[in-house]
Amino acid sequence: MHKFVVEGGKELIGEIRISGSKNEVLPILAATLMTDERSIIRNVPNLSDVRLMLEILEELGCQTTFDRGTVTVTPYNLDRTQASYELVSQMRASFCVLGPLLSFRKKAKVSLPGGCVIGVRPVDLHLRGIKALGVNYDLDHGYVVADGSQMQGTRIFLGGNSGSTVTGTANIMMAAVLANGTTYIEQAAPEPEVEGLARMLNSMGAQIFGAGSHRIEIRGVDRLRGADYTVQPDRMETATYAVAAAITHGDLTLTNSKYENLIAFWEKLKETGTQVEQIASDKIRVRGGEINPTDIVTFAYPGFPTDAQAPMASLLSLANGISIVTDTIYPDRFMLIAELNRMGADIRKQNNSAIINGTKHLSGAQVMGSDLRATAALVLAGLAAKGETEVHRVYHVDRGYEQMELKLAKVGARIERAEYNPRRRKSDREAA
Ligand code: EPU
């Protein structure tokens, strides 16, 4: 196991190149199952989640290569239709192979993904969607076993209590591409990652209209060609390094980035006193200043993203006043609070909000990540803290940030990856 050792208090100055988007590339890779031709995907970040998705594609009869940011996927055995629990349970996004398998191979046996530390995260909307398309399925020993041979275009409402679903929209959009007739997805997720997936599918021969809005029309086609697609920059990596500039009072230029995909985030970051400037079509300059408090409520796109609330909580823990961060998408996504408080932050959870009373400084401590964004947020807190911070469980970071410690070190951070061999924790001994 690895940990990061961070010596805080260094201003970060320089350029960071943003990698391809994790949340776009995962469904994109699943979509390569919708053809028997070879697909090429470019600007692919080297992440453990990506490598896991490639393993799933191999389990599903594809040969894959991954070389310097370019993935090729060559399907050779179209009879394989089972995605196993061992792989799917490690990453929820892998449930996105369901739509492609039903669409092209007409059969699927995909493990249900199960719970997750940021919330219950059900897949009922995905299942409602395939049922509306005429798929017969059973839930059998933790698997969805489904027959897609009778799929028929229809009008589907994909809204849930928390609004639209990103991977649910991707899954149903992919399922509908090769179905008979036209499908309309109402209350579709308008996230840029869904729009990117539609662009890729259209380049393969699909007929998808309206992706990026709440209503997507999919006219069924007979077959798709192989894809050649370049993944967009990662919005959440951009937001995380923008906060790194703000929290260290630094001056970072984020290259290969896309300003327009994070409008609500930039507005909030500016409210804290951080200067944000789009200096070229793919370059954003972020300069830290004083840190003012602000209130944040997460919403589906284009609202403030839930994935950026943990990094912002680290920043606001050093603001000169009280901030409130409310998560309407994942009301329990606040495991970070206890760890930040160990570093001297003053944060209280109330229902689905964190009440953050800004303090003058944080002090380095040993802390533990609980999920991808919370772990990244602890690294950010460590960059600003006095003394040394050890962030444990950085395998969470490796799921979604390409070479985080190298990118940060290049702009002046004192951060190192080190081996971590924990003795068994007291709670584990007691539970044993
Ligand atoms: N929901 C349901 N039923 C469903 C699906 C979702 O009730 O069938 C609920 C969820 O519980 C949640 C809300 O709807 O309250 C939104 O969930 P959504 O389905 O949109 O989330 P997701 O597709 O599973 C993606 C990202 C997450 C990100 C969320 C919200 C990927 C691979 N994952 O998850 O990213 O937090 O959208 O924007 O795209 C991350 O990158 O750290 C991450 C967790």
Side-chain angles (χ1 to χ4, degrees):
M1 235 194 303
H2 289 155
K3 64 183 176 184
F4 284 159
V5 182
V6 188
E7 181 68 37
K10 224 24 202 100
E11 286 175 13
L12 302 192
I13 294 172
E15 277 192 7
I16 295 183
R17 187 180 190 282
I18 301 301
S19 301
S21 162
K22 166 184 84 84
N23 287 349
E24 185 184 23
V25 76
L26 296 173
I28 290 272
L29 288 172
T32 63
L33 291 167
M34 295 173 63
T35 172
D36 52 4
E37 294 183 13
R38 189 169 74 140
S39 293
I40 303 174
I41 314 297
R42 303 174 198 274
N43 197 32
V44 177
N46 191 355
L47 305 171
S48 58
D49 272 7
V50 167
R51 293 191 298 272
L52 186 69
M53 188 54 115
L54 296 181
E55 265 187 71
I56 293 171
L57 295 182
E58 296 201 348
E59 185 180 45
L60 289 167
C62 301
Q63 190 189 52
T64 68
T65 64
F66 189 5
D67 183 28
R68 283 167 295 167
T70 300
V71 165
T72 62
V73 182
T74 315
Y76 63 88
N77 184 344
L78 303 182
D79 295 332
R80 294 208 198 146
T81 52
Q82 173 163 333
S84 64
Y85 174 75
E86 287 67 30
L87 296 175
V88 176
S89 60
Q90 292 182 50
M91 180 178 73
R92 297 184 56 79
S94 49
F95 196 62
C96 272
V97 300
L98 180 65
L101 286 175
L102 289 172
S103 195
F104 185 52
R105 302 190 185 182
K106 304 294 175 204
K107 265 176 31 181
K109 181 172 178 184
V110 179
S111 170
L112 287 160
C116 162
V117 72
I118 67 175
V120 181
R121 303 186 78 184
V123 288
D124 56 312
L125 298 173
H126 301 235
L127 297 178
R128 195 164 86 196
I130 59 166
K131 188 163 181 201
L133 281 170
V135 171
N136 282 318
Y137 72 85
D138 284 319
L139 299 183
D140 185 30
H141 299 289
Y143 281 79
V144 182
V145 183
D147 173 359
S149 56
Q150 305 295 324
M151 280 203 290
Q152 183 64 45
T154 184
R155 189 176 295 271
I156 303 170
F157 175 69
L158 261 197
N161 292 342
S162 309
S164 49
T165 161
V166 179
T167 48
T169 303
N171 229 345
I172 301 312
M173 191 165 81
M174 291 189 280
V177 161
L178 296 170
N180 287 325
T182 299
T183 300
Y184 299 91
I185 303 179
E186 307 285 359
Q187 190 67 37
E191 266 70 359
E193 293 76 18
V194 174
E195 211 181 336
L197 174 64
R199 231 183 351 262
M200 175 212 182
L201 291 166
N202 283 344
S203 78
M204 297 167 78
Q207 295 225 6
I208 302 173
F209 307 90
S213 76
H214 282 298
R215 184 168 193 266
I216 302 180
E217 176 182 343
I218 305 136
R219 295 185 199 148
V221 296
D222 289 339
R223 66 178 300 271
L224 296 183
R225 301 180 285 276
D228 187 338
Y229 183 78
T230 302
V231 177
Q232 306 181 69
D234 193 300
R235 293 190 288 143
M236 294 313 142
E237 193 194 21
T238 308
T240 303
Y241 293 136
V243 173
I247 205 168
T248 64
H249 308 285
D251 183 349
L252 290 178
T253 297
L254 309 175
T255 66
N256 187 38
S257 55
K258 216 167 171 180
Y259 185 89
E260 60 272 26
N261 283 353
L262 272 172
I263 294 298
F265 171 80
W266 297 127
E267 286 309 310
K268 282 295 163 188
L269 192 62
K270 286 180 195 168
E271 270 179 39
T272 68
T274 306
Q275 290 181 51
V276 181
E277 234 183 308
Q278 183 178 10
I279 56 175
S281 62
D282 65 344
K283 282 197 178 107
I284 304 159
R285 184 172 179 194
V286 185
R287 279 174 286 175
E290 59 181 324
I291 307 175
N292 299 316
T294 184
D295 292 340
I296 291 173
V297 183
T298 69
F299 281 112
Y301 190 81
F304 190 96
T306 168
D307 294 339
Q309 60 95 335
M312 278 299 265
S314 290
L315 178 66
L316 295 173
S317 71
L318 287 164
N320 52 30
I322 295 177
S323 308
I324 302 179
V325 175
T326 303
D327 199 324
T328 64
I329 314 279
Y330 297 118
D332 295 320
R333 198 177 196 179
F334 288 107
M335 302 283 275
L336 172 71
I337 295 177
E339 299 301 301
L340 281 181
N341 284 348
R342 296 192 67 250
M343 298 177 73
D346 178 0
I347 311 179
R348 201 157 44 85
K349 178 174 183 299
Q350 201 171 350
N351 302 321
N352 62 343
S353 297
I355 321 263
I356 306 174
N357 188 9
T359 51
K360 282 218 157 25
H361 60 82
L362 296 173
S363 69
Q366 289 183 307
V367 287
M368 190 160 67
S370 52
D371 73 285
L372 171 58
R373 307 303 167 188
T375 314
L378 289 171
V379 174
L380 296 174
L383 292 171
K386 288 193 169 166
E388 189 176 282
T389 297
E390 276 189 18
V391 181
H392 298 167
R393 304 199 174 178
V394 296
Y395 58 82
H396 290 299
V397 161
D398 296 333
R399 294 185 61 172
Y401 293 88
E402 189 174 42
Q403 302 193 315
M404 179 185 244
E405 76 279 23
L406 301 183
K407 288 191 180 188
L408 288 171
K410 217 176 125 222
V411 292
R414 284 172 294 205
I415 178 168
E416 274 177 16
R417 181 182 289 263
E419 280 297 327
Y420 174 57
N421 294 313
R423 277 173 291 169
R424 283 170 73 203
R425 281 147 36 93
K426 185 165 175 280
S427 55
D428 295 341
R429 285 201 304 275
E430 280 167 359

